[in-house]
Coordinates of all heavy atoms in Angstrom, one line a residue:
M169 N 0.8 -1.2 0.0 CA 0.0 0.0 0.0 C 0.9 1.3 0.0 O 0.3 2.4 -0.2 CB -0.9 0.0 1.2 CG -1.9 -1.1 1.3 SD -2.8 -1.4 -0.2 CE -4.3 -0.4 0.2
L170 N 2.2 1.1 0.1 CA 3.1 2.3 0.3 C 3.1 3.1 -1.0 O 3.5 4.2 -1.0 CB 4.5 1.8 0.7 CG 4.6 1.2 2.1 CD1 6.0 0.7 2.3 CD2 4.2 2.3 3.2
R171 N 2.7 2.5 -2.1 CA 2.8 3.2 -3.3 C 1.7 4.2 -3.5 O 1.6 5.1 -4.4 CB 2.8 2.3 -4.5 CG 1.5 1.5 -4.8 CD 1.8 0.4 -5.8 NE 0.9 -0.7 -5.7 CZ -0.1 -0.9 -6.6 NH1 -0.3 0.0 -7.5 NH2 -0.9 -1.9 -6.4
F172 N 0.7 4.2 -2.6 CA -0.5 5.1 -2.6 C -0.3 6.3 -1.8 O 0.3 6.2 -0.7 CB -1.8 4.4 -2.2 CG -2.2 3.3 -3.1 CD1 -2.1 2.0 -2.7 CD2 -2.7 3.6 -4.4 CE1 -2.4 0.9 -3.5 CE2 -3.1 2.5 -5.2 CZ -3.0 1.2 -4.8
L173 N -0.7 7.5 -2.2 CA -0.6 8.6 -1.4 C -1.6 8.5 -0.2 O -2.6 7.8 -0.3 CB -1.1 9.8 -2.1 CG -0.2 10.4 -3.3 CD1 -1.0 11.4 -4.1 CD2 1.0 11.0 -2.7
P174 N -1.3 9.1 1.0 CA -2.2 9.0 2.1 C -3.6 9.5 1.8 O -4.5 8.8 2.3 CB -1.5 9.9 3.1 CG -0.1 9.9 2.8 CD 0.0 9.7 1.3
S175 N -3.7 10.5 1.0 CA -5.1 10.9 0.6 C -5.8 10.0 -0.2 O -7.0 9.8 -0.1 CB -4.9 12.3 -0.1 OG -4.1 12.2 -1.3
T176 N -5.0 9.2 -1.1 CA -5.7 8.1 -1.9 C -6.2 7.0 -0.9 O -7.3 6.5 -1.1 CB -4.7 7.5 -2.9 OG1 -4.1 8.6 -3.6 CG2 -5.4 6.6 -3.8
L177 N -5.3 6.7 0.1 CA -5.6 5.6 1.0 C -6.9 6.1 1.8 O -7.8 5.2 2.0 CB -4.5 5.4 2.0 CG -3.3 4.6 1.4 CD1 -2.1 4.7 2.3 CD2 -3.6 3.2 1.1
A178 N -7.0 7.3 2.2 CA -8.1 7.8 3.0 C -9.4 7.7 2.2 O -10.4 7.2 2.6 CB -7.8 9.2 3.5
A179 N -9.3 8.2 0.9 CA -10.5 8.2 0.1 C -11.0 6.7 -0.2 O -12.2 6.4 -0.1 CB -10.2 8.9 -1.2
A180 N -10.0 5.8 -0.5 CA -10.3 4.5 -0.8 C -10.8 3.7 0.4 O -11.7 2.9 0.3 CB -9.0 3.8 -1.3
A181 N -10.3 4.1 1.6 CA -10.8 3.5 2.9 C -12.3 3.9 3.1 O -13.1 3.0 3.5 CB -9.9 3.9 4.0
I182 N -12.6 5.1 2.8 CA -14.0 5.5 2.9 C -14.9 4.8 1.9 O -15.9 4.3 2.4 CB -14.1 7.1 2.8 CG1 -13.5 7.8 4.0 CG2 -15.6 7.5 2.7 CD1 -13.3 9.3 3.8
F183 N -14.5 4.7 0.7 CA -15.2 4.0 -0.3 C -15.4 2.5 0.1 O -16.5 2.0 0.1 CB -14.7 4.2 -1.7 CG -15.4 3.5 -2.8 CD1 -16.7 3.7 -3.0 CD2 -14.8 2.5 -3.6 CE1 -17.4 3.1 -4.0 CE2 -15.4 1.9 -4.6 CZ -16.8 2.1 -4.8
T184 N -14.3 1.9 0.4 CA -14.3 0.5 0.8 C -15.3 0.2 2.0 O -16.0 -0.7 2.0 CB -12.9 0.0 1.1 OG1 -12.0 0.3 0.1 CG2 -12.9 -1.6 1.2
T185 N -15.2 1.1 3.0 CA -16.0 1.0 4.1 C -17.5 1.1 3.8 O -18.3 0.4 4.3 CB -15.6 2.0 5.2 OG1 -14.2 1.9 5.5 CG2 -16.4 1.9 6.5
Q186 N -17.8 2.1 3.0 CA -19.2 2.3 2.6 C -19.7 1.1 1.9 O -20.9 0.7 2.2 CB -19.3 3.5 1.5 CG -19.2 4.8 2.1 CD -19.4 5.9 1.1 OE1 -19.5 7.1 1.5 NE2 -19.5 5.6 -0.2
C187 N -18.9 0.4 1.1 CA -19.3 -0.8 0.4 C -19.4 -1.9 1.4 O -20.4 -2.7 1.3 CB -18.3 -1.1 -0.7 SG -18.3 0.1 -2.0
T188 N -18.5 -2.0 2.3 CA -18.4 -3.2 3.3 C -19.6 -3.1 4.2 O -20.2 -4.1 4.5 CB -17.1 -3.1 4.1 OG1 -16.1 -3.2 3.2 CG2 -17.0 -4.3 5.0
L189 N -20.0 -1.9 4.6 CA -21.1 -1.8 5.5 C -22.4 -1.5 4.8 O -23.5 -1.2 5.5 CB -20.8 -0.6 6.5 CG -19.6 -0.7 7.4 CD1 -19.4 0.6 8.2 CD2 -19.6 -1.9 8.2
S190 N -22.4 -1.7 3.5 CA -23.7 -1.6 2.7 C -24.3 -0.2 2.9 O -25.5 0.0 2.9 CB -24.7 -2.6 3.1 OG -24.1 -3.9 2.9
V191 N -23.5 0.8 3.1 CA -24.0 2.2 3.2 C -24.3 2.6 1.8 O -25.4 3.2 1.5 CB -22.9 3.1 3.9 CG1 -23.4 4.6 3.8 CG2 -22.7 2.7 5.3
S192 N -23.4 2.4 0.9 CA -23.6 2.8 -0.5 C -22.5 2.2 -1.3 O -21.4 2.0 -0.9 CB -23.4 4.4 -0.6 OG -23.4 4.7 -2.0
R193 N -22.9 1.8 -2.6 CA -21.9 1.3 -3.5 C -21.5 2.4 -4.5 O -20.7 2.1 -5.4 CB -22.5 0.1 -4.3 CG -22.8 -1.1 -3.5 CD -23.3 -2.2 -4.3 NE -23.4 -3.5 -3.5 CZ -23.4 -4.7 -4.0 NH1 -23.4 -4.9 -5.3 NH2 -23.5 -5.7 -3.2
E194 N -22.0 3.5 -4.3 CA -21.7 4.6 -5.2 C -20.6 5.5 -4.6 O -20.5 5.7 -3.4 CB -23.0 5.5 -5.4 CG -24.2 4.8 -6.0 CD -23.8 4.1 -7.3 OE1 -23.2 4.8 -8.2 OE2 -24.1 2.9 -7.5
W195 N -19.9 6.1 -5.5 CA -18.9 7.1 -5.2 C -19.3 8.3 -6.1 O -19.0 8.5 -7.2 CB -17.5 6.7 -5.6 CG -16.4 7.7 -5.1 CD1 -15.6 8.5 -5.9 CD2 -15.9 7.9 -3.8 NE1 -14.8 9.3 -5.1 CE2 -14.9 8.8 -3.8 CE3 -16.3 7.3 -2.6 CZ2 -14.3 9.3 -2.7 CZ3 -15.6 7.7 -1.4 CH2 -14.6 8.7 -1.5
N196 N -20.3 9.1 -5.3 CA -21.1 10.0 -6.1 C -20.3 11.4 -6.2 O -19.2 11.5 -5.7 CB -22.4 10.2 -5.5 CG -22.5 10.7 -4.1 OD1 -21.5 11.4 -3.7 ND2 -23.5 10.3 -3.4
I197 N -21.0 12.3 -6.8 CA -20.4 13.7 -7.0 C -20.0 14.3 -5.7 O -19.0 15.0 -5.7 CB -21.3 14.5 -7.9 CG1 -20.6 15.8 -8.4 CG2 -22.6 14.9 -7.1 CD1 -19.7 15.5 -9.6
T198 N -20.7 14.1 -4.6 CA -20.4 14.7 -3.3 C -19.1 14.1 -2.8 O -18.2 14.8 -2.3 CB -21.5 14.4 -2.3 OG1 -22.8 14.8 -2.9 CG2 -21.3 15.1 -1.0
C199 N -19.0 12.8 -2.9 CA -17.7 12.1 -2.5 C -16.5 12.6 -3.3 O -15.5 12.9 -2.7 CB -17.8 10.6 -2.6 SG -19.2 9.8 -1.7
E200 N -16.7 12.8 -4.6 CA -15.6 13.3 -5.5 C -15.2 14.6 -5.1 O -14.0 14.9 -5.0 CB -16.1 13.2 -7.0 CG -16.1 11.8 -7.5 CD -16.4 11.8 -9.0 OE1 -16.1 12.9 -9.7 OE2 -16.7 10.8 -9.5
K201 N -16.3 15.5 -4.9 CA -16.0 16.9 -4.5 C -15.2 17.0 -3.3 O -14.2 17.7 -3.2 CB -17.3 17.6 -4.4 CG -17.1 19.1 -4.1 CD -18.5 19.8 -3.9 CE -18.2 21.1 -3.2 NZ -19.4 21.6 -2.5
H202 N -15.6 16.3 -2.2 CA -14.9 16.4 -0.9 C -13.6 15.7 -0.8 O -12.7 16.1 0.0 CB -15.8 16.0 0.2 CG -17.0 17.0 0.4 ND1 -16.8 18.3 0.9 CD2 -18.3 16.9 0.0 CE1 -18.0 19.0 1.0 NE2 -18.9 18.1 0.4
S203 N -13.4 14.7 -1.6 CA -12.1 13.9 -1.5 C -11.2 14.4 -2.7 O -10.0 14.2 -2.6 CB -12.4 12.4 -1.7 OG -12.8 12.1 -3.1
S204 N -11.7 15.0 -3.6 CA -11.0 15.4 -4.9 C -10.4 14.2 -5.6 O -9.5 14.2 -6.4 CB -9.9 16.5 -4.7 OG -8.9 15.9 -4.0
Y205 N -11.1 13.0 -5.4 CA -10.8 11.8 -6.2 C -12.0 11.3 -6.9 O -13.1 11.2 -6.3 CB -10.3 10.7 -5.2 CG -8.8 10.9 -4.8 CD1 -8.5 11.5 -3.6 CD2 -7.8 10.4 -5.6 CE1 -7.2 11.7 -3.2 CE2 -6.5 10.6 -5.2 CZ -6.2 11.2 -4.0 OH -4.9 11.4 -3.6
G206 N -11.8 10.8 -8.1 CA -12.8 10.1 -8.8 C -12.7 8.6 -8.5 O -11.7 8.2 -8.0
K207 N -13.7 7.9 -8.8 CA -13.8 6.5 -8.5 C -12.8 5.7 -9.2 O -12.1 4.8 -8.7 CB -15.2 5.9 -8.9 CG -15.4 4.4 -8.5 CD -16.7 3.9 -8.8 CE -16.9 2.5 -8.4 NZ -18.3 2.0 -8.8
N208 N -12.4 6.2 -10.4 CA -11.4 5.5 -11.2 C -10.0 5.6 -10.6 O -9.0 4.9 -10.8 CB -11.4 5.9 -12.7 CG -11.1 7.4 -12.8 OD1 -11.2 8.2 -11.9 ND2 -10.5 7.8 -13.9
Q209 N -9.9 6.6 -9.7 CA -8.5 6.9 -9.0 C -8.4 6.1 -7.7 O -7.3 6.0 -7.2 CB -8.4 8.4 -8.8 CG -8.3 9.3 -10.0 CD -8.4 10.7 -9.7 OE1 -9.4 11.2 -9.3 NE2 -7.3 11.4 -9.9
I210 N -9.5 5.6 -7.2 CA -9.4 4.9 -5.9 C -9.8 3.4 -6.0 O -9.5 2.7 -5.0 CB -10.3 5.6 -4.8 CG1 -11.8 5.7 -5.3 CG2 -9.7 6.9 -4.5 CD1 -12.7 6.1 -4.2
L211 N -10.3 3.1 -7.1 CA -10.8 1.7 -7.2 C -9.7 0.6 -7.0 O -9.9 -0.4 -6.4 CB -11.6 1.5 -8.5 CG -12.5 0.2 -8.7 CD1 -13.4 0.1 -7.5 CD2 -13.1 0.1 -10.0
E212 N -8.6 0.8 -7.7 CA -7.5 -0.1 -7.5 C -7.1 -0.3 -6.1 O -6.9 -1.4 -5.6 CB -6.3 0.4 -8.3 CG -5.1 -0.6 -8.3 CD -3.8 0.0 -8.9 OE1 -3.9 1.1 -9.3 OE2 -2.8 -0.7 -8.8
C213 N -7.0 0.8 -5.3 CA -6.6 0.8 -3.9 C -7.7 0.0 -3.1 O -7.4 -0.7 -2.2 CB -6.4 2.2 -3.5 SG -5.7 2.4 -1.8
S214 N -9.0 0.4 -3.4 CA -10.1 -0.3 -2.7 C -10.1 -1.8 -3.0 O -10.4 -2.6 -2.1 CB -11.4 0.3 -3.2 OG -11.6 1.6 -2.5
K215 N -9.8 -2.2 -4.2 CA -9.7 -3.6 -4.5 C -8.7 -4.3 -3.7 O -8.9 -5.5 -3.2 CB -9.5 -3.8 -6.0 CG -10.7 -3.5 -6.8 CD -10.4 -3.8 -8.3 CE -11.7 -3.5 -9.1 NZ -11.5 -4.0 -10.5
L216 N -7.5 -3.7 -3.5 CA -6.5 -4.2 -2.7 C -7.0 -4.4 -1.2 O -6.6 -5.4 -0.6 CB -5.2 -3.4 -2.8 CG -4.2 -3.7 -3.9 CD1 -3.1 -2.6 -3.9 CD2 -3.6 -5.1 -3.7
M217 N -7.6 -3.3 -0.8 CA -8.1 -3.4 0.6 C -9.1 -4.6 0.8 O -9.0 -5.3 1.8 CB -8.8 -2.1 1.0 CG -7.9 -0.9 1.1 SD -8.7 0.6 1.5 CE -7.3 1.7 1.8
V218 N -10.0 -4.8 -0.2 CA -10.9 -5.9 -0.1 C -10.1 -7.3 -0.1 O -10.5 -8.1 0.7 CB -11.9 -5.8 -1.3 CG1 -12.7 -7.1 -1.3 CG2 -12.8 -4.6 -1.1
S219 N -9.1 -7.3 -0.9 CA -8.4 -8.6 -1.0 C -7.6 -8.9 0.3 O -7.5 -10.1 0.8 CB -7.4 -8.6 -2.3 OG -6.3 -7.7 -2.0
F220 N -7.1 -7.8 0.9 CA -6.5 -8.0 2.3 C -7.6 -8.4 3.3 O -7.3 -9.3 4.1 CB -5.8 -6.8 2.7 CG -4.6 -6.3 1.9 CD1 -4.4 -5.0 1.7 CD2 -3.8 -7.2 1.3 CE1 -3.3 -4.6 0.9 CE2 -2.7 -6.9 0.6 CZ -2.5 -5.5 0.3
H221 N -8.7 -7.9 3.2 CA -9.9 -8.2 4.1 C -10.2 -9.7 3.9 O -10.3 -10.4 4.9 CB -11.1 -7.3 3.8 CG -12.1 -7.5 4.8 ND1 -13.4 -6.8 4.7 CD2 -12.2 -8.2 6.0 CE1 -14.1 -7.2 5.8 NE2 -13.5 -8.0 6.5
Q222 N -10.2 -10.1 2.6 CA -10.6 -11.5 2.4 C -9.5 -12.5 3.0 O -9.9 -13.6 3.4 CB -10.6 -11.8 0.9 CG -11.9 -11.2 0.2 CD -11.9 -11.4 -1.3 OE1 -10.8 -11.4 -1.9 NE2 -13.0 -11.5 -1.9
K223 N -8.3 -12.0 3.0 CA -7.2 -12.9 3.5 C -7.0 -12.8 5.0 O -6.1 -13.5 5.6 CB -5.9 -12.6 2.7 CG -6.0 -12.9 1.2 CD -4.7 -12.4 0.6 CE -4.9 -12.4 -1.0 NZ -4.0 -11.4 -1.5
A224 N -7.7 -11.9 5.6 CA -7.4 -11.6 7.1 C -7.6 -12.8 8.0 O -7.0 -12.8 9.1 CB -8.3 -10.4 7.5
T225 N -8.4 -13.7 7.6 CA -8.7 -14.9 8.4 C -7.7 -16.0 8.3 O -7.7 -17.0 9.1 CB -10.1 -15.5 8.1 OG1 -10.1 -15.9 6.8 CG2 -11.2 -14.4 8.3
V226 N -6.9 -16.0 7.3 CA -6.0 -17.1 7.0 C -4.5 -16.7 7.2 O -4.1 -15.6 7.3 CB -6.1 -17.7 5.6 CG1 -7.5 -18.2 5.4 CG2 -5.9 -16.5 4.5
G227 N -3.7 -17.7 7.4 CA -2.3 -17.5 7.6 C -1.9 -17.3 9.1 O -2.8 -17.6 10.0
K228 N -0.7 -17.0 9.3 CA -0.2 -16.9 10.7 C -0.5 -15.6 11.3 O -0.5 -15.4 12.6 CB 1.3 -17.2 10.7 CG 1.7 -18.6 10.4 CD 3.2 -18.8 10.4 CE 3.6 -20.2 10.0 NZ 5.0 -20.4 9.8
L229 N -0.6 -14.5 10.5 CA -0.8 -13.2 11.1 C -2.2 -12.7 11.1 O -2.7 -11.9 10.4 CB 0.1 -12.2 10.1 CG 1.6 -12.5 10.1 CD1 2.3 -11.6 9.1 CD2 2.2 -12.5 11.4
T230 N -2.9 -13.3 12.1 CA -4.4 -13.0 12.2 C -4.6 -12.2 13.5 O -5.8 -12.0 13.9 CB -5.2 -14.3 12.3 OG1 -4.7 -15.0 13.4 CG2 -5.1 -15.1 11.0
G231 N -3.6 -11.6 14.0 CA -3.7 -10.8 15.3 C -4.7 -9.6 15.1 O -5.5 -9.3 15.9
V232 N -4.5 -8.9 14.0 CA -5.4 -7.7 13.7 C -6.8 -8.2 13.6 O -7.7 -7.6 14.1 CB -4.9 -7.0 12.5 CG1 -5.9 -5.9 12.1 CG2 -3.5 -6.4 12.7
Y233 N -7.0 -9.2 12.8 CA -8.3 -9.8 12.6 C -9.0 -10.1 14.0 O -10.1 -9.7 14.2 CB -8.3 -11.0 11.7 CG -9.5 -11.7 11.5 CD1 -10.5 -11.1 10.7 CD2 -9.8 -13.0 12.1 CE1 -11.8 -11.8 10.5 CE2 -11.0 -13.6 11.9 CZ -12.0 -13.0 11.1 OH -13.2 -13.7 10.9
R234 N -8.2 -10.8 14.8 CA -8.8 -11.2 16.1 C -9.0 -10.0 17.0 O -9.9 -10.0 17.8 CB -7.9 -12.3 16.8 CG -8.1 -13.7 16.1 CD -7.3 -14.8 16.8 NE -5.9 -14.8 16.4 CZ -4.8 -14.4 17.1 NH1 -5.0 -13.9 18.3 NH2 -3.6 -14.4 16.6
K235 N -8.1 -9.0 16.9 CA -8.3 -7.8 17.7 C -9.7 -7.2 17.5 O -10.3 -6.6 18.5 CB -7.2 -6.8 17.3 CG -7.3 -5.4 17.9 CD -6.2 -4.5 17.4 CE -6.5 -3.1 17.7 NZ -5.4 -2.2 17.2
Y236 N -10.2 -7.2 16.3 CA -11.4 -6.6 15.9 C -12.6 -7.5 16.2 O -13.7 -7.2 15.8 CB -11.4 -6.0 14.5 CG -10.5 -4.8 14.4 CD1 -9.2 -5.0 14.1 CD2 -11.0 -3.6 14.7 CE1 -8.4 -3.9 14.0 CE2 -10.2 -2.5 14.7 CZ -8.8 -2.6 14.3 OH -8.0 -1.5 14.3
N237 N -12.4 -8.6 16.9 CA -13.4 -9.5 17.4 C -13.9 -9.1 18.8 O -14.3 -9.9 19.5 CB -12.9 -10.9 17.4 CG -14.0 -12.0 17.6 OD1 -15.1 -11.7 17.3 ND2 -13.6 -13.1 18.0
T238 N -14.0 -7.8 19.0 CA -14.5 -7.4 20.4 C -15.4 -6.2 20.2 O -15.4 -5.5 19.1 CB -13.3 -6.9 21.2 OG1 -12.7 -5.8 20.6 CG2 -12.3 -8.0 21.5
S239 N -16.3 -6.1 21.2 CA -17.3 -4.9 21.1 C -16.6 -3.6 21.1 O -17.1 -2.6 20.5 CB -18.2 -5.0 22.3 OG -17.6 -5.0 23.5
K240 N -15.3 -3.6 21.7 CA -14.6 -2.3 21.7 C -14.4 -1.8 20.3 O -14.4 -0.5 20.1 CB -13.3 -2.5 22.4 CG -12.4 -1.2 22.5 CD -11.1 -1.6 23.1 CE -10.1 -0.4 23.1 NZ -8.8 -0.7 23.6
Y241 N -14.3 -2.7 19.3 CA -14.0 -2.3 18.0 C -15.2 -2.6 17.1 O -15.2 -2.8 15.9 CB -12.8 -3.0 17.3 CG -11.5 -2.5 18.0 CD1 -10.9 -3.3 18.9 CD2 -11.0 -1.3 17.8 CE1 -9.7 -2.9 19.6 CE2 -9.9 -0.8 18.4 CZ -9.3 -1.7 19.3 OH -8.1 -1.2 20.0
G242 N -16.4 -2.6 17.8 CA -17.7 -2.7 17.0 C -17.8 -4.1 16.4 O -18.6 -4.3 15.4
N243 N -17.1 -5.1 16.9 CA -17.1 -6.4 16.3 C -16.9 -6.4 14.8 O -17.6 -7.1 14.0 CB -18.4 -7.2 16.6 CG -18.5 -7.4 18.1 OD1 -19.3 -6.7 18.9 ND2 -17.7 -8.4 18.7
A244 N -16.0 -5.5 14.3 CA -15.8 -5.3 12.9 C -15.5 -6.6 12.2 O -15.7 -6.7 11.0 CB -14.7 -4.2 12.7
L245 N -14.9 -7.6 12.9 CA -14.5 -8.8 12.2 C -15.7 -9.5 11.6 O -15.6 -10.3 10.7 CB -13.7 -9.7 13.2 CG -14.1 -11.2 13.4 CD1 -12.9 -11.9 14.0 CD2 -15.3 -11.3 14.3
R246 N -16.9 -9.2 12.1 CA -18.1 -9.9 11.5 C -18.5 -9.4 10.2 O -19.4 -9.9 9.5 CB -19.3 -9.8 12.5 CG -19.0 -10.5 13.8 CD -20.2 -10.4 14.8 NE -19.7 -10.8 16.1 CZ -20.4 -10.6 17.2 NH1 -21.5 -9.8 17.2 NH2 -19.9 -11.0 18.4
C247 N -17.9 -8.2 9.7 CA -18.3 -7.7 8.5 C -17.7 -8.5 7.3 O -16.5 -8.8 7.4 CB -17.8 -6.2 8.3 SG -18.5 -5.1 9.4
E248 N -18.5 -8.9 6.4 CA -18.0 -9.6 5.2 C -17.2 -8.7 4.3 O -17.6 -7.5 4.1 CB -19.1 -10.3 4.5 CG -19.8 -11.4 5.3 CD -18.9 -12.6 5.5 OE1 -18.2 -13.0 4.6 OE2 -19.0 -13.1 6.6
P249 N -16.1 -9.2 3.7 CA -15.5 -8.3 2.7 C -16.4 -7.9 1.5 O -17.2 -8.7 1.2 CB -14.3 -9.3 2.2 CG -14.1 -10.3 3.2 CD -15.5 -10.5 3.8
A250 N -16.2 -6.8 1.0 CA -17.0 -6.3 -0.1 C -16.5 -6.9 -1.4 O -16.0 -6.2 -2.3 CB -17.0 -4.7 -0.2
S251 N -16.6 -8.2 -1.5 CA -16.0 -8.9 -2.6 C -16.5 -8.5 -4.0 O -15.7 -8.6 -5.0 CB -16.2 -10.4 -2.4 OG -15.6 -10.9 -1.2
F252 N -17.7 -8.0 -4.1 CA -18.2 -7.5 -5.3 C -17.3 -6.4 -6.0 O -17.3 -6.3 -7.2 CB -19.7 -7.0 -5.2 CG -19.8 -5.7 -4.4 CD1 -19.7 -4.5 -5.1 CD2 -20.0 -5.7 -3.1 CE1 -19.8 -3.3 -4.4 CE2 -20.1 -4.5 -2.4 CZ -20.1 -3.4 -3.0
L253 N -16.6 -5.7 -5.1 CA -15.7 -4.6 -5.6 C -14.6 -5.2 -6.5 O -14.1 -4.5 -7.4 CB -15.1 -3.9 -4.4 CG -15.8 -2.6 -4.0 CD1 -15.0 -1.9 -2.9 CD2 -16.1 -1.6 -5.2
L254 N -14.2 -6.4 -6.3 CA -13.2 -7.0 -7.1 C -13.6 -7.1 -8.5 O -12.7 -7.2 -9.4 CB -12.7 -8.3 -6.5 CG -12.2 -8.3 -5.0 CD1 -11.8 -9.6 -4.6 CD2 -11.0 -7.4 -5.0
E255 N -14.8 -7.2 -8.8 CA -15.4 -7.3 -10.2 C -15.8 -6.0 -10.7 O -16.2 -5.9 -11.8 CB -16.5 -8.3 -10.3 CG -16.1 -9.7 -10.4 CD -15.9 -10.4 -9.1 OE1 -16.8 -10.5 -8.4 OE2 -14.8 -11.0 -8.9
A256 N -15.7 -4.9 -9.9 CA -16.2 -3.6 -10.3 C -15.2 -3.0 -11.3 O -14.0 -3.3 -11.3 CB -16.2 -2.7 -9.1
W257 N -15.7 -2.2 -12.1 CA -14.9 -1.5 -13.2 C -15.4 -0.1 -13.2 O -16.4 0.3 -12.6 CB -15.0 -2.2 -14.5 CG -16.5 -2.5 -14.9 CD1 -17.2 -3.5 -14.5 CD2 -17.3 -1.7 -15.7 NE1 -18.5 -3.4 -15.0 CE2 -18.6 -2.3 -15.8 CE3 -17.1 -0.5 -16.4 CZ2 -19.6 -1.8 -16.5 CZ3 -18.2 0.1 -17.1 CH2 -19.4 -0.6 -17.1
F258 N -14.6 0.7 -13.9 CA -15.0 2.2 -14.0 C -15.2 2.6 -15.4 O -14.8 1.9 -16.3 CB -14.0 3.0 -13.2 CG -12.6 2.6 -13.4 CD1 -11.9 3.0 -14.6 CD2 -11.9 1.8 -12.5 CE1 -10.5 2.6 -14.7 CE2 -10.6 1.4 -12.7 CZ -9.9 1.8 -13.8
Ligands
NAG441 C1 -23.5 10.7 -1.9 O1 -23.3 9.6 -1.1 C2 -23.2 9.8 0.3 C3 -22.9 8.5 1.0 O2 -21.9 7.9 0.4 C4 -24.6 10.4 0.7 O3 -24.4 10.8 2.1 C5 -24.8 11.7 -0.1 O4 -26.1 12.2 0.3 C6 -24.8 11.4 -1.6 N1 -25.0 12.6 -2.3 C7 -25.7 12.7 -3.4 C8 -25.7 14.0 -4.1 O5 -26.4 11.7 -3.8
NAG442 C1 -14.6 -14.2 18.2 O1 -15.1 -14.1 19.4 C2 -16.0 -15.2 19.7 C3 -16.6 -14.9 21.2 O2 -15.6 -14.4 22.0 C4 -15.3 -16.5 19.7 O3 -16.2 -17.6 19.9 C5 -14.8 -16.7 18.3 O4 -14.0 -17.9 18.1 C6 -13.9 -15.5 17.9 N1 -13.4 -15.6 16.5 C7 -12.2 -15.3 16.1 C8 -11.9 -15.5 14.6 O5 -11.3 -15.1 16.9

């Protein structure tokens, strides 16, 4: 993720979260205006975030995943990855 600008990561994190929590699948004109990013500029980064989310349960490094298995963090681990984003295009 180091190749992305912090502002790109922030915008992509908001978009990925909206999709993950079923708030919205759209990156509308309001989102573009306030982030100054178009969907085509954040989709690649969002797809990577989804792929990391999908892999969070497997392998040896599941500490972060397990950390979010508490009410302190809103039981975020129960959220399913927004896998549909991996097939999304712009
Ligand atoms: C754009 O989407 C956000 C949620 O992502 C929503 O709050 C906002 O009202 C939407 N704006 C328009 C113009 O549809
Ligand atoms: C999450 O927490 C519940 C209840 O504490 C536990 O039963 C479950 O095994 C935990 N899941 C993971 C992946 O740690």
